[in-house]
Amino acid sequence: MRALDQGNRLKEVAEEAQEAVAETATTAKSIAADVGDKAQQLAREAGRQATVAAETAYGAGGDALSIVEDAARQNIWGALLIAGAVGYGLACLVKNSR
């Protein structure tokens, strides 16, 4: 009779262990799904922020171009003189690099 009690107890312990393993697996699966969802959210947010930064940089570039164009229109001779000097400097650099 004692062997029967020990066998039943072993069976109960095995069932409890099986339930604990199943519960742990379920918990791990849930945590993995949560981590995956969080990673997707972070990736979407990073993409959104990159888009905003690119749009801001594009707008700032357009503003800078507008300022330079206005300055060149207001002082045409000065702009031509600067453009000529820059062109001459670049020509000298290219000639000396050969």
Side-chain angles (χ1 to χ4, degrees), residues 43-54:
R44 279 194 289 276
E45 179 63 19
R48 187 192 65 77
Q49 289 178 358
T51 300
V52 169

Side-chain angles (χ1 to χ4, degrees), residues 12-97:
E12 289 173 7
V13 169
E15 288 173 356
E16 288 174 6
Q18 187 178 18
E19 290 173 6
V21 168
E23 184 178 326
T24 302
T26 302
T27 302
K29 183 178 179 181
S30 175
I31 290 171
D34 290 345
V35 168
D37 290 343
K38 187 65 174 176
Q40 286 179 346
Q41 289 174 355
L42 290 173
R44 279 194 289 276
E45 179 63 19
R48 187 192 65 77
Q49 289 178 358
T51 300
V52 169
E55 289 172 350
T56 301
Y58 182 77
D63 292 344
L65 179 64
S66 190
I67 290 170
V68 171
E69 285 178 347
D70 289 342
R73 283 190 186 112
Q74 290 175 2
N75 189 356
I76 293 175
W77 292 109
L80 285 173
L81 183 62
I82 291 172
V86 169
Y88 181 76
L90 287 174
C92 289
L93 285 175
V94 170
K95 181 180 177 186
N96 289 337
S97 67

